Amino acid sequence: MKNVLKAVAFLLVGVILIGCVSQVICGKWTDANKETYTTKEFYALEDKSIEVFIVGSSQIVTGISSMTMYENYGISAFGLGTGNAPMAGNYYWLKECEKTQDISMVAIEVSMLYEPTKQFLFRRAYDPMKLSRNKLEAVYEQSRDYNGDGVLSYVFPMIKYHNRWKELTEEDFVFHKEDSLVYRGNVMKSGVKPVPYEKVIIDNDAVRDIDMEADQLEYFKKILSYCKEKGWDVVLFKTPKTSWSLSKSEGVSALAKEYGVPFLDFNYDKLMKEIKFDPMHDLRDADHPNLRGAEKISDYLGKYLKENYDLKDYRQDGTEPVDMELYHEDREDCYLKMSTEPMEYLEHLDNDRYGVIVQLTGDISGSWNSAVQDKFAALGFKTDISTLSGRNYVGVIERGNCVFEESVIGPLDYSGRFDGRIDFTAWSDIMYEEDDVKMEVDGEEEFFDEKGMNILVYDLEKGRILSEVVIEDNSNNLELETVYLFE
């Protein structure tokens, strides 16, 4: 009997070790849309805490803010998407959600109906899924129907990723909560890619025949049938993207009509104007919204769901869905980084978590007007930049207070210490060459390579550089140039 117990114990220890090693060595999806974080967050949800489940591709990872829906309408939603997610992946994640959540509504982002799938996209969708009957069914189907990786390679990822040990980093062992910027499945994206309005709206497209991908359509119909079987309401939607078209939209509209479900397409001129979506400011790239765009879409979607379906108001029970203080801090940071104009950026600098260093390495006094000066002065600075023609300047803010400010005719350097622990040095000289423009923070040189007003923002709570920008004088107009942002 003792030998049997020893054998069982040895086997259990072996299984646990294999599981731990597999989690470390398994491929991570953290660089672009951070799906590894979103699925990790999904499994950390309290049971029966989600009423609306949102599935799709990276369009929902960056384009839907469940927190906006919660704060504005009390809706408890979670968006689970992976990059170019196969509809089969959406189907099995929906079944995975059903195991622990009491959902009554499913919202589906429809991008992938027209997109072919590939083997690595199944890995992206299924690798983060916990071992369960759902996962075994999912990987068996892809292995059989797509001639994909064998089932065992999903059960024991070491079979697939055994050579990854050579490229392991700290991130494979520890996920940093403050670095993830993930809230209920939404990854806060602060990049801004200006796209002309007419490149996004589909109203004037020529209509042509275009077929949906058969395998995607098959699993899409499975999702609709499964939702009907469970008595769940369904809403289809499409976030703004340049690669969408009127032909694709009309195809989805016909499908939605066939199944009797609503379809909200935010690529139409009327709906984009209604939510005030501005592709010049609200996209992080040609096909994905940034946080500002996500909040506009989500406010409309949340209002639509609240007005048309019987959903609870989860704000009333006093339970906060995430660390709300951290969420609002990250949201503030994101809006700072999404700034595209000098006045907007200066306004968002007013934050008692920031250490801000300002230095002049170019003369911008001629374009510095009273409106910009008012924003600058509101931060606590007393110097009027419009009076500094030919002079150098350094100013420093620490936790909302101006702690240093000086302007001189010759070169100026200043060294200080944020919170008594973060050393920094600023060098102001309008005679610098662009390659010489830099600051030093915490022993690291930060090069701007741009002349003008150089601004560096340090997050004193999280201990990292948050943003580096230059306000430039371009033909008597002040422009904001982003040099670096933490994302």
Side-chain angles (χ1 to χ4, degrees):
M1 186 65 179
K2 287 185 178 180
N3 290 335
V4 173
L5 291 175
K6 286 182 179 179
V8 171
F10 181 79
L11 183 61
L12 287 174
V13 171
V15 170
I16 293 172
L17 287 175
I18 289 173
C20 292
V21 172
S22 294
Q23 287 297 312
V24 171
I25 207 168
C26 188
K28 305 300 189 298
W29 306 96
T30 56
D31 289 341
N33 298 318
K34 302 179 185 285
E35 289 101 327
T36 302
Y37 288 118
T38 62
T39 51
K40 184 181 178 70
E41 186 192 25
F42 168 79
Y43 281 117
L45 290 171
E46 291 186 12
D47 289 358
K48 301 185 183 304
S49 63
I50 297 297
E51 189 173 14
V52 177
F53 193 52
I54 308 170
V55 292
S57 64
S58 58
Q59 300 295 309
I60 67 166
V61 178
T62 65
I64 293 294
S65 168
S66 295
M67 290 304 300
T68 296
M69 296 167 70
Y70 169 79
E71 291 204 297
N72 294 355
Y73 305 102
I75 295 171
S76 183
F78 191 94
L80 198 149
T82 58
N84 294 102
M87 280 292 172
N90 295 332
Y91 174 70
Y92 284 106
W93 274 109
L94 176 60
K95 295 184 75 173
E96 191 75 354
C97 179
E98 183 196 8
K99 288 163 49 177
T100 57
Q101 302 302 322
D102 189 17
I103 59 177
S104 66
M105 160 70 64
V106 177
I108 308 169
E109 211 284 336
V110 297
S111 291
M112 290 305 295
L113 280 170
Y114 291 94
E115 301 295 333
T117 194
K118 299 177 182 178
Q119 177 57 218
F120 81 93
L121 298 176
F122 286 103
R123 302 279 350 177
R124 197 165 187 155
Y126 297 147
D127 273 343
M129 190 179 288
K130 287 186 175 181
L131 187 59
S132 64
R133 179 177 178 179
N134 288 332
K135 181 167 184 172
L136 291 175
E137 286 184 7
V139 300
Y140 172 74
E141 291 293 327
Q142 70 83 34
S143 177
R144 183 191 65 182
D145 296 344
Y146 298 91
N147 193 28
D149 291 345
V151 173
L152 281 178
S153 75
Y154 285 91
V155 178
F156 301 106
M158 286 187 294
I159 296 174
K160 173 74 174 179
Y161 299 110
H162 61 279
N163 285 328
R164 258 197 96 237
W165 67 269
K166 302 174 184 176
E167 56 190 59
L168 294 179
T169 66
E170 180 187 3
E171 192 171 34
D172 288 287
F173 296 88
V174 179
F175 291 106
H176 301 289
K177 181 179 180 181
E178 69 272 16
D179 289 353
S180 65
L181 301 179
V182 176
Y183 293 95
R184 289 293 176 105
N186 170 237
V187 179
M188 292 182 173
K189 288 294 185 179
S190 54
V192 178
K193 170 68 175 178
V195 178
Y197 191 82
E198 60 274 11
K199 295 284 187 180
V200 183
I201 59 171
I202 59 176
D203 300 63
N204 301 319
D205 287 355
V207 178
R208 60 187 179 87
D209 290 334
I210 180 170
D211 294 326
M212 296 179 185
E213 291 287 325
D215 51 347
Q216 304 280 31
L217 182 59
E218 176 189 354
Y219 273 95
F220 177 76
K221 291 181 176 180
K222 279 189 176 183
I223 294 173
L224 295 183
S225 297
Y226 194 74
C227 291
K228 183 178 181 180
E229 175 189 329
K230 296 295 180 179
W232 300 333
D233 293 309
V234 174
V235 170
L236 312 181
F237 68 96
K238 180 70 212 77
T239 60
K241 63 184 294 188
T242 59
S243 58
W244 193 242
S245 69
L246 183 59
S247 302
K248 293 178 180 179
S249 183
E250 291 191 350
V252 176
S253 294
L255 194 60
K257 185 176 181 180
E258 177 186 345
Y259 281 86
V261 296
F263 173 43
L264 305 174
D265 193 336
F266 292 94
N267 293 268
Y268 281 103
D269 175 70
K270 181 180 178 181
L271 199 48
M272 284 186 67
K273 285 180 178 175
E274 187 169 345
I275 68 174
K276 296 181 172 58
F277 192 93
D278 179 4
M280 294 294 287
H281 297 90
D282 299 341
L283 291 171
R284 67 173 296 258
D285 59 37
D287 287 340
H288 297 85
N290 54 30
L291 179 64
R292 180 168 43 226
E295 291 188 341
K296 292 178 180 180
I297 297 166
S298 303
D299 180 72
Y300 184 96
L301 181 59
K303 183 179 180 182
Y304 179 88
L305 296 182
K306 197 70 174 179
E307 290 178 348
N308 290 279
Y309 300 93
D310 184 20
L311 298 175
K312 303 175 189 175
D313 188 335
Y314 282 75
R315 295 169 298 187
Q316 296 178 353
D317 66 4
T319 302
E320 296 182 338
V322 299
D323 182 334
M324 296 300 287
E325 183 178 357
L326 182 62
Y327 163 70
H328 285 119
E329 288 178 359
D330 284 340
R331 185 177 181 273
E332 290 169 354
D333 295 345
C334 202
Y335 269 85
L336 168 75
K337 294 182 290 183
M338 287 189 297
S339 300
T340 58
E341 303 292 338
M343 286 184 62
E344 179 187 12
Y345 190 84
L346 292 173
E347 182 176 348
H348 287 296
L349 284 181
D350 186 10
N351 194 307
D352 62 9
R353 294 181 292 108
Y354 295 165
V356 181
I357 309 169
V358 179
Q359 67 182 24
L360 281 182
T361 53
D363 191 344
I364 60 173
S365 60
S367 297
W368 193 268
N369 58 50
S370 59
V372 182
Q373 178 60 31
D374 287 344
K375 294 290 183 184
F376 192 67
L379 296 171
F381 295 122
K382 300 186 183 305
T383 302
D384 185 344
I385 302 299
S386 68
T387 67
L388 296 186
S389 177
R391 298 175 68 89
N392 296 301
Y393 170 86
V394 172
V396 180
I397 294 174
E398 181 177 349
R399 296 193 179 277
N401 299 304
C402 179
V403 295
F404 178 81
E405 188 175 24
E406 185 175 353
S407 65
V408 297
I409 294 177
L412 172 63
D413 66 85
Y414 173 74
S415 295
R417 179 174 289 176
F418 287 134
D419 279 356
R421 56 189 173 84
I422 306 298
D423 294 316
F424 64 85
T425 301
W427 293 276
S428 174
D429 190 341
I430 61 174
M431 302 305 293
Y432 273 145
E433 298 293 329
E434 287 188 348
D435 292 346
D436 296 325
V437 176
K438 66 179 181 179
M439 295 182 193
E440 185 174 291
V441 178
D442 202 18
E444 298 289 334
E445 292 183 327
E446 301 294 327
F447 285 89
F448 286 79
D449 296 324
E450 297 283 351
K451 291 167 61 68
M453 176 180 279
N454 312 116
I455 304 176
L456 183 147
V457 181
Y458 194 88
D459 187 330
L460 296 171
E461 298 297 326
K462 299 183 178 71
R464 64 190 178 203
I465 294 173
L466 185 63
S467 168
E468 296 173 8
V469 303
V470 181
I471 297 178
E472 302 174 292
D473 186 345
N474 187 0
S475 302
N476 295 321
N477 287 311
L478 292 177
E479 294 184 353
L480 187 74
E481 178 77 20
T482 298
V483 177
Y484 167 82
L485 57 84
F486 177 88
E487 186 173 56

